[in-house]
Amino acid sequence: MSAGDPSASRRARAQASAENTALGDVRVVCLSSLGPVPFAVMLLGDLGAEITRVDRPGRAGSLTGLPLEDDPRTRGHRGIGIDLRRPDGRAVLLRLIAQADVFLEGMRPGAAEKLGIGPDDLLDVNPRLVYGRATGWGQNGPRAAQAGHDINYAGLAGGVFPLGSPDAPPLPPLNLLADFGGGGAYLALGVLAALHQRQVTGRGQVVDAAMVDGVASLTTMLHGMLAAGLWTDRRGENLLDGAAHFYRTYATADGGFMAVGAIEPQFYRELLDALGLDPAEWPQHDRSRWPEQSHRLAAVFASRTRAEWEQVFDGRDACVTPVLSLAEAATSTELRERGTFVDWDGVPQPAPAPRLSASAVVERPRSRWCGHTDQILAELGYPADEIAGLRAREAVA
């Protein structure tokens, strides 16, 4: 092939990426969507996978109201605009799939099949494909076709009820539990497992990531504690839900907060020592005294500012730390030194996690909606006149 062959250039980039990153030889195609899929794709991309995102022509690129270009979850994506309702558009996707390792979609059950891009359709084109699909309720079951959001999936799975004060309704867990924890992270885990098994079988498979299943999985330890009698099904009466005076947050004099997590006895002793409290008067596991002890500790922490308490506990193994806002975390000197937060392409954002000792972390530029259509089509072997024809027929954008 000539030096100007776009497919040869792409293979060279892929080889270089495979040598430096964990998933550099993995090609992921995903459909633009909300919720768990962008997060799963971000995790795979952060580990080096090449991401091609299929955008819907004529529809502004946005994820949950955030312009696509400003969303760190799309870092490093290449976007191609394809109208999957048109036969020519579907043909472009099938050509992409023939060269892909992973395909991810987050549509309602049956929607992909109606477009002719369901698992049977794509695995027929590429039997080695790992087809990942994320939904709220799963591909089957009584609620499979019902709409919902993070709070619904997490609520039904038991992940919302334990959160918050016992004298108020449960608190929404942002959209961290279902969208990202039980959805996107589990989808990425399933994809990695399927890729690993493909090395043995030579064949792909379908990953069915239901957010309700993932949230239920995240509560596994609590179910074990419940069965052992170490947890009550009443909010605000347990070790980890704010009832214990040594595992909760406290307000400070300046309106800040400190997080106290002194569960183990050695950490609890250090907590009491730092506060100048007599251990004989502060038994740790007498639950009848937890409300009173929490009230007294609240008064203690309210007597100083957050910065003053940070100085008190600096260097102590008392498991007491400041509670930072999102903006404070992003600008924290400590977290910046660790590399937990970075500035990529002008956007402050969390760095890829976890870290691998022999795999590089590659800075990923922000993505653009439908920003690489011609480049990707050329790599797929479409000549310029065919690309122009696809655009004229509005199959691509």
Side-chain angles (χ1 to χ4, degrees):
M1 293 187 178
S2 67
D5 185 348
S7 59
S9 175
R10 178 191 171 282
R11 285 195 297 271
R13 293 197 310 271
Q15 181 177 354
S17 181
E19 293 172 354
N20 296 317
T21 62
L23 299 180
D25 60 341
V26 174
R27 293 160 294 186
V28 177
V29 175
C30 67
L31 301 187
S32 286
S33 63
L34 304 176
V37 170
F39 187 70
V41 172
M42 183 197 79
L43 295 177
L44 298 173
D46 285 347
L47 293 172
E50 178 186 296
I51 309 298
T52 300
R53 187 190 63 251
V54 177
D55 296 325
R56 293 177 60 179
R59 183 170 182 174
S62 174
L63 299 173
T64 319
L66 182 68
L68 183 147
E69 291 83 357
D70 295 331
D71 193 324
R73 289 177 297 166
T74 67
R75 56 196 181 199
H77 292 195
R78 297 196 303 163
I80 177 173
I82 302 178
D83 189 341
L84 296 174
R85 298 167 300 178
R86 300 179 184 273
D88 286 351
R90 179 177 175 274
V92 172
L93 178 67
L94 295 183
R95 193 178 294 197
L96 268 173
I97 292 303
Q99 301 180 11
D101 297 290
V102 179
F103 174 74
L104 299 179
E105 53 97 346
M107 295 184 285
R108 288 198 191 191
E113 284 81 355
K114 289 181 180 178
L115 289 171
I117 59 170
D120 291 343
D121 303 298
L122 301 195
L123 286 167
D124 185 56
V125 172
N126 182 356
R128 291 176 54 82
L129 184 72
V130 172
Y131 190 117
R133 48 196 345 187
T135 58
W137 310 111
Q139 296 298 315
N140 50 46
R143 294 182 185 267
Q146 185 176 339
H149 280 296
D150 185 288
I151 194 170
N152 307 117
Y153 314 132
L156 194 68
V160 174
F161 183 84
L163 306 178
S165 170
D167 55 0
L171 292 174
L174 303 181
N175 65 330
L176 301 180
L177 265 183
D179 275 353
F180 303 144
Y186 274 72
L187 176 59
L189 175 64
V191 166
L192 294 177
L195 287 172
H196 178 74
Q197 188 174 22
R198 190 182 70 174
Q199 294 179 334
V200 178
T201 66
R203 299 189 65 82
Q205 59 181 300
V206 178
V207 178
D208 175 8
M211 287 180 265
V212 67
D213 297 344
V215 174
S217 177
L218 290 171
T219 66
T220 298
M221 183 190 77
L222 299 181
H223 280 281
M225 294 177 70
L226 189 64
L230 300 176
W231 191 274
T232 68
D233 216 5
R234 295 184 296 275
R235 187 168 57 260
E237 295 187 10
N238 298 285
L239 177 67
L240 303 176
D241 64 4
H245 61 289
F246 52 86
Y247 198 87
R248 57 176 297 168
T249 60
Y250 291 98
T252 59
D254 58 345
F257 299 92
M258 296 294 289
V260 176
I263 296 177
E264 290 81 0
Q266 68 272 27
F267 302 144
Y268 185 66
R269 287 193 299 269
E270 191 74 12
L271 168 68
L272 297 181
D273 182 66
L275 297 178
L277 301 176
D278 184 356
E281 298 179 4
W282 286 81
Q284 183 174 9
H285 292 292
D286 182 350
R287 292 184 178 233
S288 68
R289 295 193 59 184
W290 280 2
E292 170 213 350
Q293 290 171 320
S294 295
H295 181 74
R296 291 173 64 186
L297 280 189
V300 172
F301 277 98
S303 68
R304 301 189 189 183
T305 66
R306 193 183 78 182
E308 289 174 324
W309 284 122
E310 288 184 60
Q311 290 183 339
V312 169
F313 288 99
D314 184 32
R316 283 183 175 266
D317 275 345
C319 301
V320 179
T321 51
V323 176
L324 302 186
S325 70
L326 291 173
E328 286 178 318
T331 58
S332 163
T333 301
E334 174 184 341
L335 297 180
R336 287 282 174 164
E337 290 179 357
R338 162 68 184 167
T340 303
F341 284 88
V342 295
D343 289 315
W344 282 355
D345 205 10
V347 180
Q349 56 197 279
R355 307 178 190 193
L356 305 181
S357 63
S359 301
V361 174
V362 180
E363 179 174 342
R364 301 283 179 129
R366 63 173 80 186
S367 181
R368 291 182 295 117
W369 177 68
C370 300
H372 298 83
T373 299
D374 287 358
Q375 178 186 358
I376 294 170
L377 289 174
E379 291 174 357
L380 291 174
Y382 286 94
D385 59 336
E386 287 191 34
I387 294 175
L390 289 170
R391 285 190 176 277
R393 294 190 295 276
E394 298 183 342
V396 301

